[in-house]
Amino acid sequence: MRPDSPSPVIPFLIACAGIATFSAMDVLMKGLSINIGAYNAVLWRTGAGALLSGLIYFASRPKWPGQATMRIHAWRSLFVAGMALCFFWALARLPIAEAIALAFVAPLMALYMAAIFLGEKIGPRSIAASLLGLIGVIVIVAGKLGGDYSDEALLAVGAVFLSAVFYAYNLVLARRQAKMAEPLEIAFFQNAFVTAILAVGAPWFLAVPAASHAPHIAGAAALATASLLLLSWAYARAETQILATTEYTGFLWAMLFGWMFFDEAVTWPTIAGAFLIVAACLIVTRKAPHGDPIEPAAA
C-alpha cells in the first residue's frame, strides 16, 4: 500500500492538470462523436490508447499484475466504458460547457461513495467545498442554458446524468486502483479492457473511420492517456474527497476552449461561478489529510 503525501497540495495540482488534459481531449472527442458516432469514437480512441501506453508499459519490462489487481483493472474499465459511451453520445448533442456542467453531480456523489466503499471520513470542510463548487456550476448554468430543448437534447441530458453516476463510482475505484498499481500499468490495462468490452458490439456498430480522422483519434488517445497517468498518480497520494473537487475546474477549461474554438463569450455569471469553483478548490486543499487505513477491496 502506497502511503499518502504529507500535504495534499501537490496531488491536488497534479489532478487539476489531469482534468485540464482530459478537457482538451473532450474537444477532439466531440468532433469525432459527431462525425463517426460515440461508439466508434470511444472504441478507436481507447484502441489507439492501448497501443500507445502498451508500447511504453512493456518497454519498461513490468512485473505482471496479480489476480486482485487485474480484477480491479477489469471492473473499473466496465464502468469507464459505460461512462464514456453515455457522455460522448450526449456531447455530440449538447455544447461542451453544458454537458460538463451537468456532469458535475459526480464529484458530490463521489464524496459519499468514498464514505460507503472506502471508509473515508467526510469532513464538513469537504462537504462545504463540494456544495460551494456545485453552487458555482448552478450560477454558470443559469446564465448559459436556455429553456428550449429538443427531445434528443433532453435524452442527452439524461445520458449525462447516467454518465455522472458511472463516473462517481469510477472516482472511488480510481482511489483503490491507484493504491495497487502504477499509473502506466493503469493506463494500459484500462485502455485495453475498455477496448475489449466495446469490441463486443463491433459486429453491429463498428465502422472504419476515414484517414482524415486519424490525427484526431491519435490526439485524443494521447491526451486521454496523459490525463489517466496524472490522475492515477494523484489518487495514489491523496483521498477521493480531496481530489473530487478538482473535477469542477473542468468547467473553467470548457469555458476557455469554448471561447478559443467556438467563439463563446464569457459572461458575468460565468465569472461569478468560476470564482465560487476556485474558492471551493482552495478550501478543500487546506484540509489536513488523515491516514488511509482501508485496504483496497478486491473488485
Side-chain angles (χ1 to χ4, degrees):
M1 291 290 292
R2 184 181 294 106
D4 286 351
S5 296
S7 169
V9 175
I10 297 301
F12 185 87
L13 293 176
I14 294 297
C16 286
I19 296 300
T21 307
F22 196 82
S23 298
M25 183 269 296
D26 284 342
V27 175
L28 295 177
M29 286 297 290
K30 180 179 176 70
L32 287 171
S33 296
I34 292 172
N35 292 319
I36 63 176
Y39 171 82
N40 282 285
V42 177
L43 177 64
W44 288 99
R45 188 208 74 188
T46 55
L51 179 61
L52 173 63
S53 57
L55 290 173
I56 304 172
Y57 175 63
F58 287 108
S60 66
R61 299 180 181 275
K63 181 181 178 182
W64 194 255
Q67 187 176 10
T69 305
M70 288 296 285
R71 281 201 300 269
I72 198 167
H73 287 329
W75 184 241
R76 185 187 176 199
S77 297
L78 182 63
F79 287 90
V80 170
M83 173 191 74
L85 283 179
C86 290
F87 182 77
F88 291 118
W89 184 87
L91 193 62
R93 292 157 177 82
L94 293 173
I96 296 176
E98 292 181 11
I100 291 177
L102 292 168
F104 276 141
V105 294
L108 190 58
M109 293 178 188
L111 288 175
Y112 302 99
M113 287 186 179
I116 296 171
F117 296 109
L118 299 181
E120 293 185 5
K121 296 179 181 178
I122 308 302
R125 180 175 292 172
S126 293
I127 295 174
S130 179
L131 292 175
L132 184 61
L134 188 60
I135 291 171
V137 171
I138 292 172
V139 169
I140 297 173
V141 172
K144 283 190 65 66
L145 292 182
D148 296 327
Y149 284 98
S150 66
D151 291 340
E152 192 171 60
L154 289 175
L155 287 175
V157 169
V160 171
F161 279 110
L162 180 57
S163 174
V165 174
F166 290 145
Y167 192 43
Y169 188 53
N170 164 70
L171 291 175
V172 176
L173 292 176
R175 171 69 168 165
R176 289 181 180 175
Q177 187 184 37
K179 285 289 185 180
M180 300 171 70
E182 295 297 327
L184 192 55
E185 177 186 320
I186 294 171
F188 167 68
F189 281 104
Q190 181 167 303
N191 277 305
F193 275 123
V194 171
T195 302
I197 291 167
L198 294 180
V200 173
W204 299 276
F205 306 112
L206 181 66
V208 178
S212 59
H213 296 310
H216 287 175
I217 292 172
L223 289 169
T225 299
S227 176
L228 188 54
L229 292 174
L230 292 168
L231 291 171
S232 296
W233 188 95
Y235 272 88
R237 292 161 176 83
E239 291 180 345
T240 301
Q241 63 176 313
I242 295 175
L243 300 182
T245 311
T246 64
E247 300 293 323
Y248 292 127
T249 64
F251 194 84
L252 304 180
W253 291 110
M255 289 284 89
L256 176 62
F257 294 144
W259 173 72
M260 290 175 60
F261 298 105
F262 305 106
D263 198 26
E264 294 179 353
V266 180
T267 63
W268 282 111
T270 298
I271 296 173
F275 177 82
L276 293 174
I277 294 170
V278 171
C281 294
L282 292 176
I283 289 171
V284 82
T285 55
R286 294 179 59 193
K287 176 187 178 295
H290 55 73
D292 184 16
I294 305 301
E295 294 290 326

